[in-house]
Amino acid sequence: MKRGCLIVALGTPASPNPEDIRTFLRSFLSDPAVVDMPRWLWKPILNQIVLRVRPKKIAPTYQSIWTSEGSPLLIHTRAQAHHLAAQLEGVKVGFATTYTQPSIAAAIDELDVDELVIIPLYPQYAPSTVADIWRQVDIIESQPGSPRIIRAQAWYGNSRYISWYARKVRDYVKSASTSIDKLVLSYHGVPQRKVHQPQLYQAQCEATTASIIAALNDHGIDIAWETTYQSKFGPGKWLQPATIERMAELPGEGVHNILVLTPGFFASCIETLDEILVLNREAFVNAGGKDFHLISPPDSDPEAGKILADIYRQSRED
């Protein structure tokens, strides 16, 4: 039997230019799981307002995070697939994106295997990130000759992933020249509407936080902490507290030195490189904060391959 593993990230524009950003946003924001407004209402807003205004507005931000090798998200996802392959002897490994290239269908076709484990690169489950992966997989499974597909479940409590963060925090705390007043764990938010399953998602985020804090305690690290949510988009109530609002409040509460984690992201992207490192840092410093440090996601760390290999093996056993 030919076995394979496919890791799937959300996707990224092909370039930081407005035209490619527009193409990416059109695909991403057309997904009902991402924007759950009635189609008759949302499509005119998307096509006549969002896609006309936002690509040009956000292009400088993408340009600021872009590297000579391309999109940070794509670079790190490719590296993660490489490190995963090194851990899975005899298993063909590939990567895909939900809304851009390489597509899930193309990646599965290229792997050409009999059994395939698919791992969404999101530790916590939310319809806005994972649902369209499984929708595309359902279509592929219905076709003759498709491989046996095993869907990896949410891995918010994966012990290797938790240990990776705990070690990073421990090492930073021990080497920092100033003491850390608070550890802030920021997750991507979701709207507080039933279709987005906010209670399930929040429970998983909080479980990840609790596991990291417990692992830190095992390392002898006792530190104040809180969980926040970022990246609000559009109207309506989202999970609280909002990361950027807390950044403006923390210095007034006597918190001047903070360490930030983003355990809902497996690779650095615009939400971590700009939203956290630029916008949230500015909010914190402008409010009187002094030291702001972010521990990046696993990115291209070879340990990412070990984490994913652990998820692969567990998925095949379940």
Side-chain angles (χ1 to χ4, degrees):
M1 176 181 287
K2 296 182 294 183
R3 294 192 172 94
C5 183
L6 182 69
I7 59 175
V8 184
L10 187 140
T12 177
S15 82
N17 297 323
E19 297 78 12
D20 287 327
I21 296 173
R22 183 176 295 107
T23 298
F24 166 66
L25 290 179
R26 179 180 291 111
S27 177
F28 175 48
L29 297 178
S30 292
D31 184 354
V34 176
V35 181
D36 62 325
M37 293 171 60
R39 296 297 92 182
W40 63 266
L41 177 60
W42 174 240
K43 282 190 175 182
I45 296 174
L46 176 63
N47 293 317
Q48 297 174 25
I49 301 175
V50 176
L51 294 180
R52 289 185 180 183
V53 176
R54 189 158 180 78
K56 289 182 179 180
K57 183 178 181 180
I58 202 172
T61 300
Y62 272 108
Q63 291 164 7
S64 72
I65 69 168
W66 221 256
T67 75
S68 59
E69 299 177 68
S71 161
L73 178 66
L74 193 60
I75 291 167
H76 293 313
T77 303
R78 184 183 293 115
Q80 289 165 3
H82 173 76
H83 294 317
L84 173 59
Q87 297 295 320
L88 300 179
E89 184 178 355
V91 179
K92 299 178 72 174
V93 174
F95 72 93
T97 63
T98 311
Y99 302 104
T100 55
Q101 299 298 323
S103 70
I104 294 172
I108 291 177
D109 187 59
E110 183 176 348
L111 284 172
D112 186 28
V113 294
D114 303 309
E115 177 191 275
L116 181 65
V117 175
I118 298 181
I119 304 176
L121 293 175
Y122 315 99
Q124 302 82 21
Y125 174 84
S128 56
T129 52
V130 180
D132 202 65
I133 296 176
W134 300 144
R135 181 192 65 79
Q136 294 181 46
V137 169
D138 286 342
I139 295 172
I140 294 166
E141 275 190 310
S142 68
Q143 299 171 356
S146 66
R148 173 177 178 260
I149 293 177
I150 300 172
R151 294 164 168 79
Q153 301 303 305
W155 40 280
Y156 57 92
N158 179 270
S159 59
R160 192 178 288 272
Y161 185 54
I162 299 301
S163 295
W164 183 89
Y165 263 114
R167 290 195 305 272
K168 291 291 183 180
V169 174
R170 177 201 63 192
D171 293 346
Y172 179 80
V173 168
K174 289 185 176 181
S175 64
S177 57
T178 57
S179 61
I180 305 302
D181 296 327
K182 179 164 279 192
L183 178 66
V184 178
L185 300 95
S186 179
Y187 298 83
H188 199 294
V190 300
Q192 293 192 41
R193 296 191 292 276
K194 185 176 181 180
V195 67
H196 293 279
Q197 301 185 33
Q199 292 180 327
L200 171 65
Y201 175 72
Q202 185 171 25
Q204 293 184 356
C205 293
E206 291 177 351
T208 300
T209 292
S211 295
I212 292 173
I213 298 304
L216 286 174
N217 290 339
D218 290 340
H219 285 300
I221 304 292
D222 184 11
I223 187 171
W225 59 270
E226 66 175 276
T227 296
T228 64
Y229 298 91
Q230 63 181 88
S231 308
K232 183 179 186 297
F233 174 81
K237 293 182 178 180
W238 281 49
L239 292 178
Q240 294 288 323
T243 304
I244 198 160
E245 292 177 0
R246 290 297 294 142
M247 290 300 161
E249 295 167 348
L250 286 171
E253 299 170 8
V255 176
H256 298 286
N257 303 307
I258 62 171
L259 179 60
V260 181
L261 311 183
T262 54
F265 298 91
F266 203 58
S268 296
C269 54
I270 195 169
E271 286 87 355
T272 61
L273 296 171
D274 179 70
E275 185 180 354
I276 294 293
L277 272 179
V278 177
L279 301 180
N280 278 270
R281 182 198 292 270
E282 286 180 354
F284 181 70
V285 172
N286 289 342
K290 295 180 181 178
D291 187 50
F292 180 110
H293 184 80
L294 170 69
I295 291 180
S296 298
D299 287 344
S300 297
D301 187 337
E303 188 70 18
K306 296 180 181 180
I307 295 168
L308 294 170
D310 195 50
I311 298 165
Y312 169 86
R313 297 185 183 103
Q314 185 62 52
S315 298
R316 292 195 70 243
E317 292 173 1
D318 289 346

